[in-house]
mmCIF file of all heavy atoms in Angstrom:
data_model
loop_
_atom_site.group_PDB
_atom_site.id
_atom_site.type_symbol
_atom_site.label_atom_id
_atom_site.label_comp_id
_atom_site.label_asym_id
_atom_site.label_seq_id
_atom_site.Cartn_x
_atom_site.Cartn_y
_atom_site.Cartn_z
ATOM 1 N N THR A 1 -96.755 -73.206 186.361
ATOM 2 C CA THR A 1 -97.958 -72.504 186.792
ATOM 3 C C THR A 1 -99.159 -73.094 186.190
ATOM 4 O O THR A 1 -99.155 -73.606 185.061
ATOM 5 C CB THR A 1 -97.885 -71.031 186.481
ATOM 6 O OG1 THR A 1 -99.048 -70.383 186.915
ATOM 7 C CG2 THR A 1 -97.778 -70.761 185.003
ATOM 8 N N SER A 2 -100.270 -73.034 186.929
ATOM 9 C CA SER A 2 -101.557 -73.541 186.406
ATOM 10 C C SER A 2 -102.435 -72.323 186.062
ATOM 11 O O SER A 2 -103.563 -72.520 185.731
ATOM 12 C CB SER A 2 -102.286 -74.433 187.398
ATOM 13 O OG SER A 2 -102.410 -73.734 188.678
ATOM 14 N N ARG A 3 -101.832 -71.111 186.268
ATOM 15 C CA ARG A 3 -102.631 -69.944 185.935
ATOM 16 C C ARG A 3 -102.921 -69.789 184.445
ATOM 17 O O ARG A 3 -102.019 -70.070 183.637
ATOM 18 C CB ARG A 3 -101.896 -68.724 186.469
ATOM 19 C CG ARG A 3 -102.786 -67.469 186.477
ATOM 20 C CD ARG A 3 -102.191 -66.373 187.439
ATOM 21 N NE ARG A 3 -101.000 -65.838 186.894
ATOM 22 C CZ ARG A 3 -100.945 -64.786 186.057
ATOM 23 N NH1 ARG A 3 -102.039 -64.209 185.685
ATOM 24 N NH2 ARG A 3 -99.861 -64.301 185.616
ATOM 25 N N ARG A 4 -104.106 -69.387 184.111
ATOM 26 C CA ARG A 4 -104.512 -69.279 182.664
ATOM 27 C C ARG A 4 -104.992 -67.863 182.419
ATOM 28 O O ARG A 4 -105.736 -67.255 183.265
ATOM 29 C CB ARG A 4 -105.474 -70.291 182.241
ATOM 30 C CG ARG A 4 -104.955 -71.783 182.456
ATOM 31 C CD ARG A 4 -105.852 -72.786 181.782
ATOM 32 N NE ARG A 4 -105.851 -72.727 180.348
ATOM 33 C CZ ARG A 4 -104.922 -73.293 179.581
ATOM 34 N NH1 ARG A 4 -103.815 -73.774 180.087
ATOM 35 N NH2 ARG A 4 -104.959 -73.161 178.258
ATOM 36 N N GLY A 5 -104.612 -67.334 181.265
ATOM 37 C CA GLY A 5 -105.204 -66.059 180.781
ATOM 38 C C GLY A 5 -106.329 -66.306 179.866
ATOM 39 O O GLY A 5 -106.370 -67.325 179.147
ATOM 40 N N ILE A 6 -107.261 -65.477 179.798
ATOM 41 C CA ILE A 6 -108.420 -65.566 178.866
ATOM 42 C C ILE A 6 -108.206 -64.725 177.655
ATOM 43 O O ILE A 6 -108.062 -63.565 177.685
ATOM 44 C CB ILE A 6 -109.729 -65.125 179.627
ATOM 45 C CG1 ILE A 6 -109.921 -65.868 180.956
ATOM 46 C CG2 ILE A 6 -110.920 -65.330 178.637
ATOM 47 C CD1 ILE A 6 -110.035 -67.356 180.748
ATOM 48 N N ALA A 7 -108.246 -65.445 176.445
ATOM 49 C CA ALA A 7 -108.046 -64.707 175.232
ATOM 50 C C ALA A 7 -109.386 -64.267 174.601
ATOM 51 O O ALA A 7 -109.591 -63.196 174.150
ATOM 52 C CB ALA A 7 -107.223 -65.488 174.244
ATOM 53 N N VAL A 8 -110.296 -65.284 174.662
ATOM 54 C CA VAL A 8 -111.727 -64.984 174.139
ATOM 55 C C VAL A 8 -112.667 -65.571 175.221
ATOM 56 O O VAL A 8 -112.516 -66.647 175.651
ATOM 57 C CB VAL A 8 -111.928 -65.705 172.769
ATOM 58 C CG1 VAL A 8 -113.355 -65.579 172.303
ATOM 59 C CG2 VAL A 8 -110.979 -65.086 171.722
ATOM 60 N N ASP A 9 -113.584 -64.725 175.468
ATOM 61 C CA ASP A 9 -114.425 -64.941 176.755
ATOM 62 C C ASP A 9 -115.880 -64.897 176.430
ATOM 63 O O ASP A 9 -116.548 -63.935 176.615
ATOM 64 C CB ASP A 9 -114.088 -64.011 177.832
ATOM 65 C CG ASP A 9 -114.734 -64.324 179.172
ATOM 66 O OD1 ASP A 9 -115.261 -65.422 179.363
ATOM 67 O OD2 ASP A 9 -114.638 -63.465 180.146
ATOM 68 N N GLY A 10 -116.404 -66.000 175.878
ATOM 69 C CA GLY A 10 -117.875 -66.076 175.643
ATOM 70 C C GLY A 10 -118.341 -65.260 174.509
ATOM 71 O O GLY A 10 -119.445 -64.574 174.611
ATOM 72 N N VAL A 11 -117.745 -65.286 173.312
ATOM 73 C CA VAL A 11 -118.136 -64.536 172.201
ATOM 74 C C VAL A 11 -119.277 -65.247 171.365
ATOM 75 O O VAL A 11 -119.078 -66.360 170.927
ATOM 76 C CB VAL A 11 -116.888 -64.202 171.247
ATOM 77 C CG1 VAL A 11 -117.452 -63.602 169.897
ATOM 78 C CG2 VAL A 11 -116.045 -63.142 171.994
ATOM 79 N N SER A 12 -120.334 -64.537 171.166
ATOM 80 C CA SER A 12 -121.394 -65.000 170.257
ATOM 81 C C SER A 12 -121.571 -63.920 169.168
ATOM 82 O O SER A 12 -121.691 -62.740 169.421
ATOM 83 C CB SER A 12 -122.745 -65.093 171.045
ATOM 84 O OG SER A 12 -122.557 -66.109 172.085
ATOM 85 N N LEU A 13 -121.647 -64.469 167.916
ATOM 86 C CA LEU A 13 -121.765 -63.634 166.714
ATOM 87 C C LEU A 13 -122.553 -64.321 165.706
ATOM 88 O O LEU A 13 -122.582 -65.532 165.596
ATOM 89 C CB LEU A 13 -120.361 -63.369 166.100
ATOM 90 C CG LEU A 13 -119.459 -62.346 166.627
ATOM 91 C CD1 LEU A 13 -118.119 -62.360 165.853
ATOM 92 C CD2 LEU A 13 -119.992 -60.834 166.444
ATOM 93 N N THR A 14 -123.295 -63.531 164.935
ATOM 94 C CA THR A 14 -123.953 -64.025 163.714
ATOM 95 C C THR A 14 -123.526 -63.113 162.500
ATOM 96 O O THR A 14 -123.636 -61.894 162.636
ATOM 97 C CB THR A 14 -125.508 -63.989 163.855
ATOM 98 O OG1 THR A 14 -125.855 -64.895 164.852
ATOM 99 C CG2 THR A 14 -126.082 -64.540 162.527
ATOM 100 N N VAL A 15 -122.993 -63.749 161.486
ATOM 101 C CA VAL A 15 -122.475 -63.030 160.261
ATOM 102 C C VAL A 15 -123.427 -63.399 159.141
ATOM 103 O O VAL A 15 -123.582 -64.545 158.854
ATOM 104 C CB VAL A 15 -121.072 -63.377 159.940
ATOM 105 C CG1 VAL A 15 -120.676 -62.486 158.741
ATOM 106 C CG2 VAL A 15 -120.128 -63.169 161.152
ATOM 107 N N THR A 16 -124.164 -62.443 158.591
ATOM 108 C CA THR A 16 -125.122 -62.773 157.504
ATOM 109 C C THR A 16 -124.456 -62.693 156.177
ATOM 110 O O THR A 16 -123.394 -62.042 155.954
ATOM 111 C CB THR A 16 -126.278 -61.737 157.558
ATOM 112 O OG1 THR A 16 -125.830 -60.406 157.437
ATOM 113 C CG2 THR A 16 -127.043 -61.876 158.826
ATOM 114 N N ARG A 17 -125.006 -63.476 155.327
ATOM 115 C CA ARG A 17 -124.366 -63.624 153.930
ATOM 116 C C ARG A 17 -124.325 -62.246 153.231
ATOM 117 O O ARG A 17 -125.313 -61.553 153.151
ATOM 118 C CB ARG A 17 -125.258 -64.626 153.132
ATOM 119 C CG ARG A 17 -124.598 -65.032 151.834
ATOM 120 C CD ARG A 17 -125.426 -66.133 151.118
ATOM 121 N NE ARG A 17 -125.467 -67.323 151.775
ATOM 122 C CZ ARG A 17 -124.544 -68.246 151.689
ATOM 123 N NH1 ARG A 17 -123.457 -68.091 150.920
ATOM 124 N NH2 ARG A 17 -124.650 -69.478 152.271
ATOM 125 N N GLY A 18 -123.177 -61.870 152.769
ATOM 126 C CA GLY A 18 -122.959 -60.648 151.967
ATOM 127 C C GLY A 18 -122.625 -59.439 152.719
ATOM 128 O O GLY A 18 -122.291 -58.427 152.189
ATOM 129 N N GLU A 19 -122.597 -59.531 154.056
ATOM 130 C CA GLU A 19 -122.216 -58.354 154.870
ATOM 131 C C GLU A 19 -120.790 -58.254 155.125
ATOM 132 O O GLU A 19 -120.017 -59.211 154.879
ATOM 133 C CB GLU A 19 -123.023 -58.376 156.172
ATOM 134 C CG GLU A 19 -122.342 -59.237 157.288
ATOM 135 C CD GLU A 19 -122.876 -58.928 158.659
ATOM 136 O OE1 GLU A 19 -123.058 -57.785 159.004
ATOM 137 O OE2 GLU A 19 -123.091 -59.840 159.480
ATOM 138 N N THR A 20 -120.340 -57.023 155.540
ATOM 139 C CA THR A 20 -118.936 -56.849 156.065
ATOM 140 C C THR A 20 -119.082 -56.497 157.566
ATOM 141 O O THR A 20 -119.700 -55.459 157.931
ATOM 142 C CB THR A 20 -118.291 -55.726 155.362
ATOM 143 O OG1 THR A 20 -118.115 -56.062 153.941
ATOM 144 C CG2 THR A 20 -116.873 -55.538 155.950
ATOM 145 N N LEU A 21 -118.572 -57.444 158.390
ATOM 146 C CA LEU A 21 -118.624 -57.260 159.868
ATOM 147 C C LEU A 21 -117.220 -56.768 160.199
ATOM 148 O O LEU A 21 -116.213 -57.454 159.994
ATOM 149 C CB LEU A 21 -118.940 -58.524 160.563
ATOM 150 C CG LEU A 21 -118.827 -58.473 162.144
ATOM 151 C CD1 LEU A 21 -119.838 -57.465 162.689
ATOM 152 C CD2 LEU A 21 -118.899 -59.806 162.725
ATOM 153 N N GLY A 22 -117.089 -55.673 160.782
ATOM 154 C CA GLY A 22 -115.842 -55.103 161.305
ATOM 155 C C GLY A 22 -115.674 -55.516 162.759
ATOM 156 O O GLY A 22 -116.592 -55.265 163.565
ATOM 157 N N ILE A 23 -114.554 -56.077 163.144
ATOM 158 C CA ILE A 23 -114.232 -56.444 164.530
ATOM 159 C C ILE A 23 -113.063 -55.524 164.917
ATOM 160 O O ILE A 23 -111.989 -55.660 164.345
ATOM 161 C CB ILE A 23 -113.900 -57.935 164.734
ATOM 162 C CG1 ILE A 23 -115.099 -58.783 164.308
ATOM 163 C CG2 ILE A 23 -113.570 -58.206 166.225
ATOM 164 C CD1 ILE A 23 -114.879 -60.260 164.428
ATOM 165 N N VAL A 24 -113.313 -54.686 165.868
ATOM 166 C CA VAL A 24 -112.256 -53.668 166.204
ATOM 167 C C VAL A 24 -111.985 -53.752 167.717
ATOM 168 O O VAL A 24 -112.821 -54.022 168.542
ATOM 169 C CB VAL A 24 -112.761 -52.270 165.812
ATOM 170 C CG1 VAL A 24 -113.992 -51.771 166.604
ATOM 171 C CG2 VAL A 24 -111.647 -51.242 165.874
#
């Protein structure tokens, strides 16, 4: 099959120094 699933679709993030970013 040539069908493909999308795991991550256009994610843009900025993580600043010293922070805690939760991804839920």
Side-chain angles (χ1 to χ4, degrees):
T1 178
S2 58
R3 192 160 71 87
R4 298 190 69 79
I6 305 297
V8 173
D9 188 10
V11 167
S12 297
L13 278 175
T14 298
V15 184
T16 58
R17 191 178 291 277
E19 80 163 320
T20 298
L21 174 67
I23 301 178
V24 68

